[in-house]
Amino acid sequence: MSSATIARMTDDASSDNSRLLATTTPRALGAYYTPPAAASVLAGWVVESGARTVLEPSMGDGVFLAAVAQAAAAGGRRIESWGVELAADTFAATVAAGPLEPGRAIRGDFLGLEPFPVDAVIGNPPFVRLRHVPPAEARRAARAAAAVLGAPMDPSGSSWMPFVLHASRFLRPGGSLAFVLPYELTYVRYARPLWRFLADSFARLRLVRVRERLFPEIMQDVVLLFAAGSGGTTGAIEFEAYDRVRDLDLGRPDRTASIPVELVVVGRRPFVEALLPPALQAVLAGRLAGATVPASELVRFNVGYVTGDKGFFHPREAVVRRFRLPASRLLPSLTSSRQLRGAGVRTSGLPPAATGHRLYLPDATALAPGERAYLAEGEATGIAGRYKCRVREPWFVTPGVRTPAVVLPVFADAPVLLENDAGYVASNSLLCGYLQPGLTAGSLLARWYTSLTLLQIELEVHALGGGVRVFVPSEAGAVRLAARVVESGRLTARTDALVRAGEIARAYELGDEPVLIRQLRLSPAEIELIREGTTILGRWRNGSRAGRPLGLAA
Ligand SMILES: C[S@@+](CC[C@H](N)C(=O)[O-])C[C@H]1O[C@@H](n2cnc3c(N)ncnc32)[C@H](O)[C@@H]1O
């Protein structure tokens, strides 16, 4: 690194990088390189925007710098490019390969780099949770984000966000940003202040999603963010969805929409809804908006209990006998969604082989001698020192254990909602639902098993990079269900038989005629539209992989 470039770094940034590099791995650095096809789309846009100076804040092997040089050369122009890289070996290899002049290559932490003016910033920053980056780097990231936002960034967030915020400080008035960013940018709570900032700082925002995976090997879903006209403001995001990178290259989007920034800032999921056919969007926003309510108005979902040590707190029969643990302190429990297979829609239908798990929940004020011995063993073997145990008082009483009215698996594509008529308690592999006063579990089941619920789940519940859906209470509570429904014992019995047989997709369709058509007055054509919408969103969630059959747990 030249002395000129060292002078650009703050003291804190340059002092500890060598120690950091010795202990970091490609994963910790978020070192996943962008395919050239995607890099050239962003580079083409930057060059067309008229940029004459460009900065790549985390250049890796320099794919963006090469793409910028190529796009500029194609237009008979020359662009002055700067590149920053934290990893010493990557830096050296990239500088040697020559996509930029060595004098404009900066080795160090971009988040500690003093801003200097450029027309555009382009790149694919690292996506690493701040809690997983080394402390000094995390502190710099937090400082960089707060300096732009004027308030601390949510520490649960990821490193790409300070990169975008800090990058904005380098832009001349009218300048642009072009970044590959994680798809979660479109819905996570921690990114909401970023959207507000972008809307208040750029004249034009464009977000591109491509169904084909750009990073198949790491199952990372990404979007492309283009922000132009630094110093301006806007209230809307131009959203474009493409099936393949080739379509993006050819400028042939599947769908386009103008999305109010405000919807993203208040936590809605407009980028998902925009993928649906307009006729279906109209049904959802029209008749269905009035005839449905969020599930949270009917049932309150919580994550099940966390013991801190599954084995110790779910003792096997031999252990129960050896320590004479009292039966009254052993609560029949559901600890995995696998237990629900074959049960139908009621926990009383659990196959006998799935019923043996019991949570040991001692009464701290009345411990039997055998219990004292068992807990002493827990202390001797270090269970009491486990994080979840040592932060509670006393360490051996699992908090928040309450028998739910219904249960729902946390990881599932088309989750089976079960009435908990057998009174199990449930661990955090499941969501526990507690009914609002006056509601029966049967009427909740009648509302749940329709094609509309599958569509609502696609709209409201997020998925991990590989497409596996994760139910969290707030998102499960946002799934809209029929506001009113007439329960039918016959319908529940037929749903139960289908779920028991593993015919989950058919179980969800069973409610369409009695609930959606006869009670909500939807037409058969609208039901078709709803099913088609679910298929479309499922394809987007699964990227370019083949669709998986609906199942209990992913
Ligand atoms: C996701 S890779 C992207 C590389 C390149 N932009 C591309 O898309 O091919 C992120 C790069 O950022 C580097 N990096 C990680 N943290 C950094 C930091 N704080 N400052 C500068 N570079 C960093 C990593 O070493 C890695 O090369």
Side-chain angles (χ1 to χ4, degrees):
M1 193 154 140
S2 72
S3 53
T5 57
I6 289 174
R8 291 183 186 281
M9 313 290 300
T10 63
D11 288 349
D12 190 12
S14 52
S15 60
D16 65 341
N17 279 337
S18 45
R19 186 194 55 76
L20 205 84
L21 288 166
T23 57
T24 46
T25 60
R27 195 179 175 79
L29 286 165
Y32 297 103
Y33 294 161
T34 310
S40 74
V41 171
L42 276 83
W45 182 82
V46 160
V47 172
E48 264 173 42
S49 76
R52 283 187 305 208
T53 44
V54 171
L55 167 70
E56 209 307 17
S58 53
M59 66 182 169
D61 65 358
V63 67
F64 282 100
L65 297 171
V68 165
Q70 202 177 8
R77 293 174 37 203
R78 266 181 59 81
I79 285 185
E80 187 180 287
S81 291
W82 294 82
V84 187
E85 173 56 53
L86 180 60
D89 45 357
T90 309
F91 176 83
T94 302
V95 173
L100 79 173
E101 283 179 24
R104 296 203 198 103
I106 303 170
R107 220 276 288 167
D109 181 350
F110 169 67
L111 297 171
L113 186 64
E114 287 291 334
F116 55 90
V118 294
D119 298 323
V121 183
I122 186 172
N124 167 18
F127 310 164
V128 185
R129 297 262 154 235
L130 288 181
R131 66 170 89 95
H132 295 153
V133 301
E137 206 187 321
R139 276 197 301 276
R140 268 194 308 271
R143 270 205 303 273
V148 182
L149 290 176
M153 175 185 156
D154 184 337
S156 73
S158 179
S159 58
W160 61 267
M161 188 161 134
F163 261 74
V164 176
L165 290 165
H166 191 54
S168 70
R169 296 182 63 192
F170 290 69
L171 295 180
R172 289 202 176 94
S176 351
L177 298 179
F179 276 122
V180 177
L181 296 174
Y183 171 63
E184 70 177 29
L185 153 75
T186 63
Y187 65 85
V188 285
R189 181 180 288 273
Y190 76 80
R192 291 181 199 166
L194 173 70
W195 281 110
R196 166 86 61 222
F197 165 79
L198 291 171
D200 290 346
S201 312
F202 290 91
R204 210 183 136 205
L205 296 174
R206 179 175 161 231
L207 190 92
V208 166
R209 188 172 174 201
V210 185
R211 192 181 66 81
E212 182 178 30
R213 278 186 200 290
L214 290 179
F215 297 89
E217 70 287 2
I218 56 162
M219 292 290 181
Q220 174 72 60
D221 286 332
V222 297
V223 288
L224 312 181
L225 175 74
F226 301 88
S230 172
T233 61
T234 181
I237 306 153
E238 298 160 30
F239 177 55
E240 294 164 17
Y242 297 83
D243 198 47
R244 306 206 162 259
V245 178
R246 203 182 48 231
D247 301 320
L248 171 61
D249 238 355
L250 298 171
R252 282 204 301 241
D254 262 19
R255 300 239 175 269
T256 59
S258 172
I259 292 188
V261 176
E262 207 43 44
L263 288 185
V264 191
V265 171
V266 298
R268 298 269 302 275
R269 299 267 171 90
F271 298 105
V272 184
E273 203 165 327
L275 299 171
L276 294 174
L280 178 53
Q281 291 184 40
V283 174
L284 290 171
R287 195 132 37 90
L288 276 179
T292 58
V293 291
S296 58
E297 291 188 15
L298 308 169
V299 56
R300 195 166 44 76
F301 285 110
N302 285 341
V303 181
Y305 63 77
V306 179
T307 60
D309 188 288
K310 191 173 177 185
F312 183 82
F313 288 101
H314 298 92
R316 285 198 306 268
E317 191 48 41
V319 175
V320 168
R321 263 189 271 118
R322 195 165 112 231
F323 289 94
R324 292 209 211 108
L325 300 179
S328 62
R329 306 315 313 164
L330 293 162
L331 311 184
S333 161
L334 302 170
T335 60
S336 141
S337 61
R338 276 193 302 280
Q339 273 171 275
L340 307 179
R341 289 216 178 110
V345 296
R346 294 197 184 89
T347 56
S348 56
L350 244 65
T355 58
H357 305 257
R358 284 170 301 171
L359 168 71
Y360 172 48
L361 190 66
D363 175 351
T365 62
L367 294 173
E371 292 185 271
R372 289 185 196 283
Y374 187 54
L375 296 175
E377 188 168 292
E379 276 159 25
T381 53
I383 310 287
R386 294 270 162 85
Y387 175 69
K388 284 286 173 191
C389 300
R390 73 167 187 267
V391 296
R392 66 195 182 209
E393 182 53 42
W395 69 267
F396 49 80
V397 177
T398 299
V401 179
R402 258 182 76 203
T403 308
V406 293
V407 290
L408 189 70
V410 166
F411 296 104
D413 267 5
V416 175
L417 179 78
L418 283 91
E419 174 181 357
N420 185 25
D421 60 340
Y424 287 90
V425 294
S427 80
N428 63 342
S429 299
L430 294 122
L431 291 192
C432 295
Y434 303 92
L435 298 171
Q436 300 297 359
L439 201 85
T440 64
S443 79
L444 189 68
L445 293 191
R447 291 169 162 99
W448 185 266
Y449 287 100
T450 76
S451 295
L452 179 61
T453 303
L454 290 182
L455 176 63
Q456 285 289 320
I457 289 172
E458 289 290 359
L459 285 167
E460 301 295 345
V461 181
H462 79 281
L464 301 177
V468 175
R469 211 179 336 243
V470 188
F471 280 78
V472 295
S474 59
E475 295 175 357
V479 165
R480 295 187 76 89
L481 301 173
R484 265 172 295 282
V485 81
V486 179
E487 247 181 280
S488 144
R490 247 189 83 230
L491 176 63
T492 312
R494 288 173 60 210
T495 313
D496 184 63
L498 284 176
V499 172
R500 206 178 279 263
E503 303 255 16
I504 312 298
R506 284 184 58 207
Y508 269 93
E509 288 182 358
L510 211 56
D512 292 356
E513 166 73 30
V515 177
L516 300 186
I517 295 185
R518 277 194 267 126
Q519 301 190 38
L520 296 196
R521 305 269 170 223
L522 292 181
S523 68
E526 287 169 332
I527 304 290
E528 267 319 301
L529 211 48
I530 286 172
R531 291 180 188 169
E532 184 194 329
T534 307
T535 307
I536 292 171
L537 297 186
R539 284 183 76 231
W540 277 91
R541 177 166 50 85
N542 286 308
S544 46
R545 293 181 318 140
R548 281 179 290 130
L550 295 180
L552 244 190

